[in-house]
Amino acid sequence: MKKKVALVFGARSFERDISVITAMQTLNNIDKSRYDVEPIFAYEGDFYIGKLDSIKCFAPFAPLAHKKAFLIKGEFYTLKKNKLQKAFKPDVALFCCHGGEGENGILQALFEFNSVAVTCSDTLASACCMDKAMSKRLFESLLLNVLPYEVVSKDEFESDKDKTISRIEELIDYPLIVKPACQGSSIGIEVAKCREELDFALQVAAKFDKKIVVEHKLDDFVEVNCAAYSKDGQIVISDTEQPCRASGFLTFSDKYSGGKMSACEHIVPAKIGSLEHIVKANTKRLYEELGLSGVVRVDYLVDTKRNKVYVNEINTIPGSMAFYLFKGVGVSFQNLIGDIIEDAILRKSKAIKPSVFKSDVLKNFTGGSKLVK
C-alpha cells in the first residue's frame, strides 16, 4: 500500500515563492509508485488543497479557486455545505518550506502536535537554526570557528542610533556585514565599510527583523556549502560546493535570477584542498550535536589567507532539497526524497509518546486562594 505524503510548502515568509519551486521540483521527482502525494499550500495562515501541481497555480495564487483545508487530529478536512469532510490523512509531512514560519519551527510544532511525522528537523532545532544569533552561540559552544559578531535589537538601534553604532565600531572592525537574524536567501543583508553605510545597513535589516546580527566581513574568502541527511541510522554527507558569486556575498539575485533555483554557477566539489575534510567533519558533527533531521545544508566561509574554516549558518530545509550535492555520492533526487520520508516515519515510530501523569491532585483539591506547593 502506498504511503500518504502531505507535501507542505508556502507559509508566511519572504521566501514563499522559492518554496513553491522546491515543492514542484520535489513533486516531479518523488516516486509515485511508492507514495500517494497531496500538495498542501500554506497561505496567509490557512492551508489549501486540491490541484496544486503546477507553478502556474501560484503566479499569482487565487485562494478562492482552491479548497481551504483544516488539520484536525492528524487529518486534513475540507468544508462542504458548512460540514467538515475528510480529505487526506497523511503518514508523513514532506516539508518544502523556506524561511519564516515554515522553517522556524512554527509549522513543525503544528504537525508534531497533530502526531504527524515530519521530514525536517523538529521544532526546537528548527527554531535555533533559523535564528542566526542563537545558532552562532551554539556553534561557539561546540568550539567551532565563527566570525566576530554582535547582536543588535531593533529597539536598541532606533532608540539611540549613534550609541548603537559606536558600540559596534568598538567591538568589530570594518568591513561589516549586517543581517536580519531570522531571514534567509540573503534577504535584507547589506555590507558596510564605514559609519554611514552601517547606519543604512541597520535601517534595512530592521525592516525585516527585530533582531540584527552584525559580523566582520572577510576580504578574501570563498563560500562553501555541504549537506547531510540521515538514512538507516547513518549520516550521509554530500559533496561540497563552491557557489560563484557576482558581488561581495551571494545575493538573492545570484541565487534565483533567471527563473530557476541556484542561478549562479557552482564548483563541485569546492576547490579548498585539505579543508574539505574539515567542512565535511563539521557538517556531520553539527547534524549529530544539534539533533537535526531530514536534509540540511551547512554554509561555511573559508578564509583563503589564513586557511581557516568558519561556520556561517545552517539551512534546515535547503532550496531544491540540495539534491544536486548528493549526485556525486550516488544518491538521486528520487532516492533522497524516499530516504527522508522513510527516516521521518521511522523517527516517529521510535519517539516517546507524550502522556499525562495521572494523580489525585484535582480530586483532592478543596479550593481556596492559597498557592499549591
Side-chain angles (χ1 to χ4, degrees), residues 160-189:
D160 195 333
K161 293 184 178 182
D162 287 337
K163 183 179 179 181
T164 302
I165 291 173
S166 294
R167 178 173 74 83
I168 294 170
E169 289 179 324
E170 288 176 4
L171 297 169
I172 316 175
D173 294 331
Y174 287 106
L176 302 171
I177 189 160
V178 182
K179 311 174 181 180
C182 299
Q183 292 296 333
S185 292
S186 302
I187 291 170
I189 294 181

Side-chain angles (χ1 to χ4, degrees), residues 131-201:
D131 186 325
K132 293 179 176 64
M134 178 62 71
S135 59
K136 284 183 181 295
R137 294 184 182 112
L138 290 172
F139 302 156
E140 288 178 311
S141 73
L142 296 173
L143 303 180
L144 297 173
N145 296 325
V146 296
L147 288 167
Y149 72 96
E150 281 297 312
V151 180
V152 177
S153 73
K154 178 179 179 179
D155 289 343
E156 174 193 1
F157 171 63
E158 292 181 344
S159 64
D160 195 333
K161 293 184 178 182
D162 287 337
K163 183 179 179 181
T164 302
I165 291 173
S166 294
R167 178 173 74 83
I168 294 170
E169 289 179 324
E170 288 176 4
L171 297 169
I172 316 175
D173 294 331
Y174 287 106
L176 302 171
I177 189 160
V178 182
K179 311 174 181 180
C182 299
Q183 292 296 333
S185 292
S186 302
I187 291 170
I189 294 181
E190 295 287 338
V191 173
K193 299 177 182 178
C194 62
R195 189 179 183 89
E196 291 73 21
E197 290 181 358
L198 177 55
D199 185 1
F200 174 76

